[in-house]
Amino acid sequence: MRMFVTIALLAVATPALAVETATPPAEATTALERAPKEGEVLRDTSARIVGKVYKVQASGNLLAIVNRETVRIPASTLSIVNGKLVTTLSKSEALKQK
C-alpha cells in the first residue's frame, strides 16, 4: 500500500516540475521592434527581395513564399531595418530551410 501512495504522489508532482523547468526556445527570444505582418515583403541584408510572408507563427518564426515554395524562416534571423523586414539568410539559404 505504501508503494502505491509513493507512486501516486510522484505522478502528481512530476507535471508540476516539468512546467517550472520549461524554458522557451532560443529562437523565441529574438525581439523585433514590431511584429512582422502577413503579406509583407521579406528582404536579405543587401535589400534584395527574398520572398513574401505567408504566416507569422506564435514562436516568431515565419512561413514565407520563396520562389513559389513555402519555407520556414527562423525568428533568430529576422530584424527590422529602416522599417523593412530583413533576414540574414540569402534567397538560396532560405530555400534550404524547409
Side-chain angles (χ1 to χ4, degrees), residues 7-78:
I7 291 173
L9 288 174
L10 285 174
V12 171
T14 303
L17 292 175
V19 171
E20 292 178 55
T21 59
T23 57
E27 294 176 343
T29 59
T30 303
L32 298 175
E33 60 187 58
R34 67 167 176 80
K37 301 174 208 149
E38 292 179 9
E40 185 173 11
V41 174
L42 178 65
R43 300 175 183 276
D44 65 11
T45 53
S46 299
R48 291 182 295 243
I49 295 175
V50 173
K52 195 176 237 186
V53 176
Y54 173 69
K55 185 172 186 170
V56 180
Q57 299 179 319
S59 63
N61 297 333
L62 301 178
L63 293 180
I65 305 297
V66 180
N67 286 355
R68 298 182 186 156
E69 293 185 38
T70 304
V71 296
R72 186 183 69 80
I73 306 295
S76 60
T77 68
L78 301 173

Side-chain angles (χ1 to χ4, degrees), residues 1-15:
M1 180 69 168
R2 182 177 281 181
M3 181 66 131
F4 177 74
V5 172
T6 304
I7 291 173
L9 288 174
L10 285 174
V12 171
T14 303

